[in-house]
Amino acid sequence: SAVISQKPSRDICQRGTSLTIQCQVDSQVTMMFWYRQQPGQSLTLIATANQGSEATYESGFVIDKFPISRPNLTFSTLTVSNMSPEDSSIYLCSVLLAGGATDTQYFGPGTRLTVL
Amino acid sequence: AQSVTQPDIHITVSEGASLELRCNYSYGATPYLFWYVQSPGQGLQLLLKYFSGDTLVQGIKGFEAEFKRSQSSFNLRKPSVHWSDAAEYFCAVADDYKLSFGAGTTVTVRA
């Protein structure tokens, strides 16, 4: 597996502001992902963070709202822009590790965001 | 498109009793299936995974799951539940590295 850390672990923000979440992994990985978990809901994939190129967003998520950076193979950031209370969620990053015939995603501890 | 259904939103089980969580998937090819657990305030931890081969897979914390292609199911089981197993459990299917999660099952363990 991998050791994945996220900063901040939680935050309370005012509407209209932006928050940048950091994800750091202890080894080089090809693929990193960002998920959103709204209160009481399951996880939804926001985007795939690509190193050296623009992120690939899932339907319903746009770069202007969720800009992502991936400057190297161990680090990524997700920004939640112009926040509203509907953005209150847990945001999780994950990494894909290949192990023989199996590719498995491992998750960070998450960032719990509350927007007032 | 792939999808996962977890029919049980909430299950309450007594400590020491057995536990079974249901998961049904929809996927055109051979599925890559996972079970993750999320303890309160924590991220997701991988319990076990199925890619191919033996349809009964063993995971961490005494959990196992059985893949049944004929029933499109991947149910999670544990013979004897501990209070620390109280958590939310997610079944997921992978398609080209992307995970689609079920809605989750919350497990409450009573003394």
Side-chain angles (χ1 to χ4, degrees):
Chain A
S1 63
V3 177
I4 305 166
S5 60
Q6 287 186 232
K7 291 181 181 179
S9 59
R10 60 177 61 226
D11 207 341
I12 301 173
C13 301
Q14 298 297 319
R15 69 171 67 212
T17 63
S18 298
L19 177 71
T20 295
I21 302 167
Q22 299 177 6
C23 177
Q24 178 79 53
V25 61
D26 67 343
S27 58
Q28 292 187 341
V29 295
T30 304
M31 302 188 77
M32 296 180 75
F33 306 88
W34 287 98
Y35 288 82
R36 180 176 72 181
Q37 185 179 21
Q38 294 177 298
Q41 303 293 315
S42 186
L43 284 81
T44 302
L45 179 63
I46 297 172
T48 303
N50 302 309
Q51 196 269 328
S53 65
E54 205 167 270
T56 305
Y57 290 84
E58 298 301 303
S59 176
F61 297 96
V62 296
I63 187 172
D64 290 345
K65 177 66 176 176
F66 297 101
I68 289 171
S69 77
R70 177 89 192 271
N72 56 52
L73 294 177
T74 64
F75 186 78
S76 178
T77 67
L78 168 75
T79 299
V80 186
S81 303
N82 189 24
M83 289 184 286
S84 67
E86 291 71 35
D87 295 318
S88 297
S89 297
I90 300 173
Y91 293 87
L92 299 103
C93 69
S94 73
V95 302
L96 186 72
L97 295 184
T102 66
D103 292 338
T104 303
Q105 284 190 37
Y106 293 89
F107 286 80
T111 296
R112 184 179 295 270
L113 171 62
T114 302
V115 183
L116 302 177
Chain B
Q2 72 278 15
S3 65
V4 174
T5 302
Q6 294 181 244
D8 305 305
I9 297 173
H10 192 188
I11 287 179
T12 298
V13 61
S14 297
E15 192 169 15
S18 63
L19 174 68
E20 181 167 13
L21 304 182
R22 296 184 290 165
C23 172
N24 294 100
Y25 67 90
S26 173
Y27 190 69
T30 299
Y32 289 1
L33 295 161
F34 305 82
W35 275 100
Y36 288 88
V37 61
Q38 186 177 37
S39 298
Q42 304 294 313
L44 268 70
Q45 181 180 23
L46 178 69
L47 283 176
L48 47 78
K49 58 191 176 186
Y50 172 79
F51 279 56
S52 64
D54 194 348
T55 57
L56 184 64
V57 294
Q58 302 297 320
I60 63 171
K61 303 186 178 186
F63 285 92
E64 66 178 25
E66 185 171 13
F67 171 65
K68 293 185 177 180
R69 184 185 298 276
S70 61
Q71 299 178 18
S72 298
S73 69
F74 188 56
N75 294 348
L76 182 72
R77 298 193 294 255
K78 184 169 184 176
S80 178
V81 168
H82 186 262
W83 64 266
S84 60
D85 294 321
E88 187 152 21
Y89 293 79
F90 293 96
C91 181
V93 63
D95 181 14
D96 193 23
Y97 305 118
K98 298 178 183 179
L99 289 178
S100 293
F101 285 87
T105 299
T106 300
V107 173
T108 298
V109 180
R110 60 181 173 220

